[in-house]
Amino acid sequence: MTVEATSASTVSAQISGRIVELPFDVNDLVPQGAVIVKFSDIEQQAGLQQAKAALAEALSRQTEMEKEWRRAKEIREQGLISKSAFDQATANFDAAKARVAQATASVARANELLEQTSVKAPYSGIVQERFVELGELATPGKPLIRGLSLQHMRVSGQLPQQHVSAVQQADRAQIELSDGQLLNFDNPKLTIAPEARDGGHSFLLRMVLPPDDYMKYSLYPGSWQVLKLQVAMDPVLILPKSAVFWRGEISAVWQKTPEGAVLQPVRIQDVGNNQVQVLSGLDAGTEVITDALAYLSRLSH
């Protein structure tokens, strides 16, 4: 089966600025959140400092107006000032609070503009195309980098006609990676094309993988992987690897009997997760010692 990416996007500039950093190039792997384009931020830094200074001034003015309003309230309660004078103090205090709110919004906007000078990867993926170069002046809306996601993937391949009915009933799937690692999926999302391939008797089969960071599994678009689908269930004998004792190329287990443990040759197959499947040599219900080397060590002493 061939691995395919199902999501791709083009990142565009949101502000005007000169590009000062381009850490990634075509075919580079990019982790989620990494800075992929950095603009000069001198203007944005100055704007943020200006907005912070305006906020500090507004807060100071608000504190002053609050004090005047509290004094006016106390005097008003004593009947020593007119209602219009108190209303004026209240209006000044409300205006000061409004200026603080406006200055706070300006700081938030300045921070946002500063953050936009660093364009970050929305997800982990691969750079497919770069539209800009270092030192270039970008404008809002200009495409910067195009890439594809390594979090949204699928596998596709050809399914022989005789297996279509069985695969439609599959409720488990397994991908065997090139390093032998196994990825298991319950209730896989399978799609079988409604018509056979021209010149053959096979159908296009696709399986959508659940969202995940597949870069950690070295699962990349275009690579070939083995897909296994469970279409039926047969009872199997599973043992931990620690139960197997090796004599050269001969594998055996310590089988428990009324007279004591005896070595029983077995034919096994590695199934991952430190487990083996017994292909022959044991029957269901047979008791074995789960740590063969430890038992052998006790015998030697």
Side-chain angles (χ1 to χ4, degrees), residues 242-298:
S242 59
V244 181
F245 179 75
W246 290 90
R247 285 288 191 185
E249 296 183 358
I250 305 299
S251 54
V253 297
W254 290 103
Q255 179 179 340
K256 294 182 180 180
T257 68
E259 294 76 23
V262 296
L263 273 178
Q264 172 63 38
V266 292
R267 189 163 61 91
I268 60 173
Q269 176 181 337
D270 192 340
V271 293
N273 296 323
N274 288 318
Q275 294 181 322
V276 295
Q277 176 184 345
V278 179
L279 302 178
S280 63
L282 288 180
D283 295 326
T286 303
E287 292 189 45
V288 300
I289 294 175
T290 57
D291 194 335
L293 292 180
Y295 181 74
L296 182 64
S297 178
R298 290 197 299 269

Side-chain angles (χ1 to χ4, degrees), residues 159-170 192 231:
L159 177 67
Q161 179 178 339
Q162 63 268 28
H163 299 316
V164 170
S165 296
V167 168
Q168 288 174 335
Q169 310 302 318
I192 300 175
V231 297

Side-chain angles (χ1 to χ4, degrees), residues 180-228:
Q181 187 177 1
L182 300 175
L183 302 182
N184 295 292
F185 307 95
D186 292 327
N187 300 314
K189 297 176 63 176
L190 300 172
T191 301
I192 300 175
E195 63 177 356
R197 184 177 58 177
D198 291 342
H201 300 285
S202 61
F203 292 77
L204 177 64
L205 169 67
R206 285 174 174 162
M207 186 183 82
V208 177
L209 306 183
D212 197 356
D213 184 7
Y214 291 101
M215 188 164 61
K216 62 186 176 185
Y217 302 115
S218 298
L219 195 65
Y220 303 126
S223 62
W224 185 86
Q225 307 293 341
V226 176
L227 173 66
K228 300 177 181 179

